[in-house]
């Protein structure tokens, strides 16, 4: 720039990139809304990041039509509920449904009775619910108190109508993803990594592990074949084969414990049987997270609230444009130049959405 007689400070350049970007932030919100509406399931993953030197987490949601990024201080269940509603603080609601969530989260019965005695239905802020808990439920530990916040947040999430409700999440088995949606599918590739991490010392145990991993991926291939051509009669067959495979006892204790843990996840690992439209793995979300990691490696991390918003928005726009087969450079030039020849990415998502062209299911479970 100095060659052309221009001098711009690093701070001014940063301001040009991070401030006054409301148009782009609005388009990101529209992309996310359209993306949530475009299918009955969503990928989700997260990766660590830094904001002004402090530990944060970048959450990645998407499906074949879009990818969206959200940087937050935490990665607990309450944060996931906030992200699904695209808000910075989850609305909280107490009504008759809250009691069911408290039961699901195994909150002590005496605490459930206390919550049931609070005025209902009533909408609360985080600070208001915190005050109630501190006054009446201070005997609960931090985890139990967190479950009450999550119960109230989930009640509000399923009561609201401004944001699409996500029926099914495809994720790894991290605890923050469980109980948020009606259904959850687990990633088979992630499950397979648990076996890859086993480190047997005896040759005999190594052979047992290798043999079981071969059977594991053969079964995975059968599920892929089912996805390609779902047949109702295969549902029971594959379910029984899962039970047989993951009831294996090898005598290698670490492997047998791992097999038992996989069997306990049967419903989530076999979610593809009632939903052959979903993938068997969460690779697209992991690839989305890797995009953020590459940027983090180069730029370390944003330092301001505006910077966080800019990172999330432009990563969302770039990743979504790529999925839609649109040049991101051409898209940005179109907007900056004021040409506006390219339609909003959200409109393209709506046009290509399977939800706009539903195909009747041929699978009965």
């Amino acid at each position: 720039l100095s060659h052309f007689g221009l001098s711009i400070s690093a701070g001014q350049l940063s301001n040009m990139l991070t401030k006054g970007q409301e148009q782009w932030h609005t388009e990101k919100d529209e992309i996310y809304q359209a993306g949530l509406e475009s299918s009955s399931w969503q990928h989700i993953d997260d990766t660590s990041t830094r904001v002004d030197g402090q530990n944060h987490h970048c959450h990645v949601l998407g499906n074949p039509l879009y990818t969206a990024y959200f940087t937050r201080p935490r990665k607990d269940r309450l944060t996931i509920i906030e992200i699904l509603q695209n808000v910075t603080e989850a609305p909280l609601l107490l009504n008759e449904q809250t009691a069911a969530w408290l039961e699901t989260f195994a909150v002590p019965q005496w605490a459930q009775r206390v919550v049931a005695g609070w005025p209902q239905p009533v909408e609360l802020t985080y600070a208001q619910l915190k005050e109630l808990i501190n006054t009446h439920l201070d005997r609960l530990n931090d985890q139990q108190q967190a479950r009450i916040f999550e119960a109230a947040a989930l009640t509000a999430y399923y009561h609201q109508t401004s944001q699409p409700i996500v029926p099914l999440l495809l994720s790894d088995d991290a605890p923050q993803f469980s109980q948020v949606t009606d259904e959850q599918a687990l990633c088979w590739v992630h499950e397979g990594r648990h076996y890859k991490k086993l480190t047997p010392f005896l040759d005999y145990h190594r052979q047992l592990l290798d043999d079981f991993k071969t059977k594991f991926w053969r079964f995975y291939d059968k599920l892929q074949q089912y996805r390609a051509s779902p047949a109702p009669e295969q549902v029971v067959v594959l379910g029984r084969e899962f039970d047989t495979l993951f009831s294996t006892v090898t005598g290698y204790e670490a492997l047998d414990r791992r097999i038992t843990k996989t069997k306990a996840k049967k419903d989530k690992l076999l979610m593809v049987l009632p939903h052959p439209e979903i993938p068997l793995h969460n690779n697209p979300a992991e690839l989305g997270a890797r995009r953020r990691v590459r940027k983090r490696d180069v730029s370390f991390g944003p330092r301001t609230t505006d910077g966080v918003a800019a990172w999330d928005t432009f990563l969302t726009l770039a990743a979504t444009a790529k999925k839609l087969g649109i040049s991101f450079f051409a898209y940005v030039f179109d907007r900056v130049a004021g040409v506006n020849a390219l339609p909003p990415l959200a409109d393209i998502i709506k046009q290509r959405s399977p939800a706009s062209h539903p195909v009747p299911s041929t699978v009965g479970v």
Side-chain angles (χ1 to χ4, degrees):
L1 292 178
S2 59
H3 177 75
F4 297 98
L6 299 176
S7 178
I8 302 177
S9 68
Q12 180 61 25
L13 185 59
S14 175
N15 288 338
M16 292 170 62
L17 294 173
T18 62
K19 295 185 182 300
Q21 306 298 342
E22 286 74 18
Q23 170 195 351
W24 302 105
H25 299 324
T26 297
E27 185 143 5
K28 180 212 172 182
D29 291 341
E30 292 171 349
I31 287 170
Y32 187 46
Q33 181 90 10
L36 291 180
E37 293 173 346
S38 68
S39 79
S40 61
W41 59 273
Q42 307 290 330
H43 288 290
I44 189 168
D45 199 11
D46 59 64
T47 186
S48 60
T49 189
R50 305 272 279 181
V51 176
D52 197 22
Q54 301 300 312
N55 291 331
H56 278 59
H57 304 274
C58 179
H59 303 265
V60 184
L61 278 89
N63 63 31
L65 295 175
Y66 85 104
T67 299
Y69 294 81
F70 303 86
T71 301
R72 301 297 173 90
R74 306 183 311 276
K75 64 171 186 176
D76 54 11
R77 187 184 284 117
L78 189 62
T79 299
I80 303 304
I81 300 167
E82 291 170 345
I83 290 170
L84 290 178
Q85 296 178 81
N86 199 15
V87 295
T88 55
E89 182 176 300
L92 305 172
L93 176 65
L94 299 181
N95 65 19
E96 66 280 357
Q97 186 60 41
T98 312
W101 287 113
L102 293 175
E103 184 69 26
T104 298
F105 293 146
V107 172
Q109 292 291 326
W110 68 267
Q112 292 186 41
R113 290 191 292 270
V114 171
V115 175
W118 293 345
Q120 299 182 24
V122 61
E123 296 182 4
L124 301 170
T125 64
Y126 186 95
Q128 289 170 331
L129 183 55
K130 182 65 174 175
E131 184 177 355
L132 281 171
I133 292 174
N134 289 342
T135 302
H136 303 285
L137 299 174
D138 59 327
R139 290 164 50 193
L140 297 179
N141 60 38
D142 290 344
Q143 289 187 343
Q144 292 168 330
Q145 291 185 24
R147 300 295 87 79
I148 295 177
F149 278 101
E150 293 164 2
L154 283 169
T155 301
Y157 172 56
Y158 282 98
H159 189 264
Q160 58 85 36
T161 57
S162 60
Q163 199 76 349
I165 302 295
V166 176
L168 189 156
L169 278 179
L170 174 53
S171 68
D172 59 32
D173 56 0
Q176 67 267 24
F177 302 131
S178 68
Q179 307 292 345
V180 174
T181 52
D182 285 344
E183 295 180 302
Q184 181 188 9
L186 292 181
C187 172
W188 275 86
V189 173
H190 186 273
E191 189 65 23
R193 289 175 189 154
H194 292 308
Y195 294 89
K196 190 175 181 180
K197 291 177 182 178
L198 295 176
T199 54
F201 294 100
L202 301 178
D203 288 339
Y204 176 61
H205 287 172
R206 291 193 195 99
Q207 188 60 52
L208 289 173
L209 177 59
D210 289 343
D211 290 346
F212 185 81
K213 287 194 296 184
T214 298
K215 295 176 181 177
F216 181 100
W217 292 115
R218 282 178 181 168
F219 183 71
Y220 175 86
D221 289 340
K222 290 184 179 180
L223 291 177
Q224 288 285 35
Q225 293 169 15
Y226 170 83
R227 280 193 69 237
S229 182
E233 63 273 14
Q234 284 297 306
V235 173
V236 174
V237 174
L238 290 168
R240 289 175 179 169
E241 188 168 341
F242 180 98
D243 289 337
T244 300
L245 176 60
F246 294 103
S247 295
T248 302
V249 178
T250 66
Y252 172 25
E253 186 177 354
L255 174 58
D256 291 344
R257 287 199 302 267
R258 186 69 258 167
I259 293 172
T260 300
K261 290 180 179 179
T262 299
K263 186 176 182 181
K265 305 172 188 175
K266 176 182 177 180
D267 290 345
K268 295 179 179 180
L269 285 168
L270 292 186
M271 191 59 66
V272 69
L273 297 183
H275 295 286
E277 71 276 9
I278 68 173
L280 287 170
H281 56 75
N282 203 34
N283 290 358
E286 293 193 8
L287 290 172
R290 196 172 300 170
R291 179 189 291 264
R292 176 60 181 257
V293 170
R294 289 198 298 266
K295 180 166 178 56
R296 182 189 69 198
D297 290 343
V298 172
S299 303
F300 188 60
R303 298 176 61 185
T304 65
T305 302
D306 288 337
V308 170
W311 275 44
D312 287 347
T313 288
F314 287 102
L315 280 172
T316 296
L317 298 174
T320 300
K322 183 176 181 180
K323 281 188 173 181
L324 296 175
I326 295 171
S327 165
F328 182 55
F329 175 82
Y331 167 77
V332 172
F333 180 83
D334 178 82
R335 292 297 189 269
V336 172
V339 177
N340 294 321
L342 293 175
L345 298 182
D347 288 354
I348 300 175
I349 292 171
K350 293 174 184 177
Q351 293 167 5
R352 301 185 186 180
S353 167
S356 301
H357 312 281
V359 176
S361 174
T362 59
V363 179
V365 181

